[in-house]
Amino acid sequence: MALENPIIYQLFEPNYTIYHRASLGGLAATITAWGEEQPLGITAKVKPDSIEIHWCLVLTEQEVLRRLLEASFRLTGDKNKQMIDLPGQFIDQNSPGLRLAVHEGLCLTFLQHNKMRPGPKGSVSFDLKSVDDDQGNILTYKAVNSYAHQKAQGTGLLDEVKLSKKESRLPGQLPEIATIPQSIVPGAMAGSKALEASPQEAFLLLYLMVGCQVFLLRPRTYKEKAQACLVIPDVIDLKRFASDAKRLTSQTQNKQTYFTNSYLGRVVGGAEEAALKFLIEFQAGWVSRKKSIAGVRAIAMGKVPWDKNQINRSLSIKVTGDYREIDVFKQANLRLGGSKLLKTKKDQSFAVPISPVPELIAANLAAQRHWCAHFLDLVSKKYDFQRMLFNRRGLNEMAKAVKDEIDRVIIHAFYDAWKRIRGQLWERADNEKLGTEGYYRLLEVRSERIRNEILRLKTPDLLANWFLRFCADATRGKNLGVISDNPEQIRKFIFSSRNFNRFQNLLLFALVSYKRENFESSNQSGDK
């Protein structure tokens, strides 16, 4: 069957999945990137809900695809140092770090096997400049000479036609059935028989690589060996999606700096964090107009027990941006997000997330858990607890963003009591002439004692009674304002067994997120 001229793709084709819609978004972004410089003999048009591709009748079907692929899947020009260049992702020359992150991410997901991306032997050094480090940081990557998408490798679309009695197609004509290899849909399990599709569908899915965003995973709170993540957008408007994609990654188009628009911005702790970071920044242009995507699917790629040769899907989860406590993650991302570069003994660098908090909050929201669930895992060790205290400013901003009323009451009740106890410690240090250094030592010991007590209590009654005694000690028998205003609400919550884990995590969060400037008078100059 000959390929129809024009090819018409409908965004809301009933049989299409999120992969097809993301692929259409990638194709739309690529066509937008071409502008007036479309492949010779071919005219492509993008509408909000469809794409049309026309071509000159003198061109064979395979020649049409060759010209489209040549214009869509490129390489950077520096020989022996070449990286993948996708025009539809709008990464310009001023973003070499972002290009490196995308190159590495694509090689870990779509192009895992060396046969899919042959290149020179050895690694190439890349000097990544940092704002805080004038000397730069040396990273390494594998350069490529070509990659599968440039020739639709593994699909059979551009295979040479050898005429025989069994061959019904003419030279230059596409096969009736094409194959879908894992280089097109990462993690797709073919089983005993290869995945098949029509030539038109197989060609479209080549652009999934363009429509997705890739992140490098460095998990800190979970033990799974995830290495990369694909964020697959559920596109609902092709023209707007192309515009948003251009705004997100093109330095020349940005009027603001986006977290994901750099190498360090593409290094995250978990797939859910990557998805929410992407959603927040992608939605930044939706204030005055309709949205271009309905949500995303995050797919983590990592080592699994049953396959030691390549990385497979270790997580696949739908992520939206309408979670009730999404503002808590926004503050976590703003204040504690991002990554930093560390150097090895060989003076090479690698990136790790600055804090595990954004990863944890994102995972909780995506799994429909309480936003503070498992926070105790981040402070269960003394060393981690002390490090977390250095993040109190960012944690405090997260506390301000909490919407749930009972969460706010518990946090601020703890703040009020802790403020008074710190004042008592200051008075003691003053009376015993311990000085500022002595006060800080008293504060450190008391903080560690509180952490241990909260962690050791294993039943709702024990934890509730500890909290009430903590508040009573703080007020020296007087009423604590926050509790006096909400007595029944607090009592009902803290003594309920179903709230035990939530209550315990909230108390630990309140301990490390307390910030003096907001709750104590400035005359306690020693308590900073």
Side-chain angles (χ1 to χ4, degrees), residues 244-260:
D244 285 336
K246 186 175 184 179
R247 171 181 53 81
L248 187 66
T249 58
S250 176
Q251 289 281 11
T252 57
Q253 293 292 321
N254 286 339
K255 294 182 180 180
Q256 68 182 90
T257 300
Y258 293 101
F259 291 111
T260 58

Side-chain angles (χ1 to χ4, degrees), residues 289-355:
R289 61 177 179 80
K290 295 180 179 179
K291 59 185 181 180
S292 60
I293 62 177
V296 300
R297 177 161 290 278
I299 297 179
M301 304 287 292
K303 292 290 185 179
V304 293
W306 61 85
D307 190 347
K308 297 181 179 180
N309 296 322
Q310 63 179 9
I311 63 176
N312 292 271
R313 296 183 189 182
S314 58
L315 173 72
S316 177
I317 186 170
K318 183 179 180 180
V319 180
T320 65
D322 57 356
Y323 303 109
R324 173 174 169 77
E325 298 292 0
I326 187 64
D327 288 343
V328 177
F329 173 78
K330 288 181 179 179
Q331 287 300 322
N333 183 49
L334 178 64
R335 311 288 177 173
L336 306 175
S339 57
K340 60 184 177 181
L341 289 165
L342 302 177
K343 289 190 177 182
T344 66
K345 294 181 179 180
K346 296 182 179 180
D347 206 32
Q348 293 186 348
S349 299
F350 63 97
V352 296
I354 293 173
S355 168

Side-chain angles (χ1 to χ4, degrees), residues 159-417:
D159 289 354
E160 183 179 351
V161 177
K162 296 180 180 180
L163 294 178
S164 68
K165 294 181 179 179
K166 297 182 179 180
E167 183 61 62
S168 59
R169 59 182 173 133
L170 300 174
Q173 192 175 15
L174 298 177
E176 293 186 5
I177 300 295
T179 303
I180 306 296
Q182 286 199 13
S183 59
I184 290 182
V185 183
M189 304 301 291
S192 59
K193 185 178 180 182
L195 299 177
E196 295 181 338
S198 68
Q200 184 168 319
E201 182 182 3
F203 170 74
L204 171 63
L205 288 172
L206 286 165
Y207 288 85
L208 180 62
M209 175 192 281
V210 186
C212 292
Q213 297 294 325
V214 290
F215 289 79
L216 305 176
L217 297 189
R218 304 290 185 270
R220 294 182 62 178
T221 60
Y222 298 102
K223 296 181 180 179
E224 60 202 31
K225 297 181 180 180
Q227 298 180 31
C229 170
L230 293 176
V231 178
I232 305 173
D234 193 357
V235 181
I236 57 175
D237 188 308
L238 295 171
K239 293 197 73 171
R240 289 187 175 123
F241 176 82
S243 176
D244 285 336
K246 186 175 184 179
R247 171 181 53 81
L248 187 66
T249 58
S250 176
Q251 289 281 11
T252 57
Q253 293 292 321
N254 286 339
K255 294 182 180 180
Q256 68 182 90
T257 300
Y258 293 101
F259 291 111
T260 58
N261 197 8
S262 66
Y263 182 88
L264 294 180
R266 292 298 179 102
V267 177
V268 296
E272 301 93 340
E273 180 187 355
L276 284 180
K277 282 170 67 81
F278 167 76
L279 273 173
I280 289 170
E281 297 189 1
F282 212 70
Q283 291 170 352
W286 296 355
V287 177
S288 59
R289 61 177 179 80
K290 295 180 179 179
K291 59 185 181 180
S292 60
I293 62 177
V296 300
R297 177 161 290 278
I299 297 179
M301 304 287 292
K303 292 290 185 179
V304 293
W306 61 85
D307 190 347
K308 297 181 179 180
N309 296 322
Q310 63 179 9
I311 63 176
N312 292 271
R313 296 183 189 182
S314 58
L315 173 72
S316 177
I317 186 170
K318 183 179 180 180
V319 180
T320 65
D322 57 356
Y323 303 109
R324 173 174 169 77
E325 298 292 0
I326 187 64
D327 288 343
V328 177
F329 173 78
K330 288 181 179 179
Q331 287 300 322
N333 183 49
L334 178 64
R335 311 288 177 173
L336 306 175
S339 57
K340 60 184 177 181
L341 289 165
L342 302 177
K343 289 190 177 182
T344 66
K345 294 181 179 180
K346 296 182 179 180
D347 206 32
Q348 293 186 348
S349 299
F350 63 97
V352 296
I354 293 173
S355 168
V357 174
E359 175 191 354
L360 179 70
I361 303 300
N364 286 335
L365 296 181
Q368 303 295 330
R369 293 190 295 263
H370 185 262
W371 64 271
C372 202
H374 303 294
F375 188 80
L376 62 84
D377 293 337
L378 304 186
V379 294
S380 60
K381 297 179 180 179
K382 183 177 180 180
Y383 173 75
D384 292 333
F385 170 69
Q386 291 176 338
R387 290 187 62 188
M388 189 66 70
L389 289 172
F390 288 103
N391 295 324
R392 63 168 59 92
R393 290 181 179 275
L395 295 167
N396 189 260
E397 293 300 321
M398 291 169 54
K400 293 177 184 178
V402 174
K403 289 185 171 62
D404 186 89
E405 183 180 356
I406 191 63
D407 286 358
R408 293 177 62 85
V409 168
I410 294 297
I411 290 171
H412 287 284
F414 184 94
Y415 282 170
D416 198 355

Side-chain angles (χ1 to χ4, degrees), residues 483-497:
I483 293 182
S484 297
D485 294 338
N486 306 273
E488 292 303 318
Q489 185 182 26
I490 288 183
R491 183 171 295 275
K492 183 178 180 180
F493 176 83
I494 65 178
F495 281 101
S496 172
S497 59

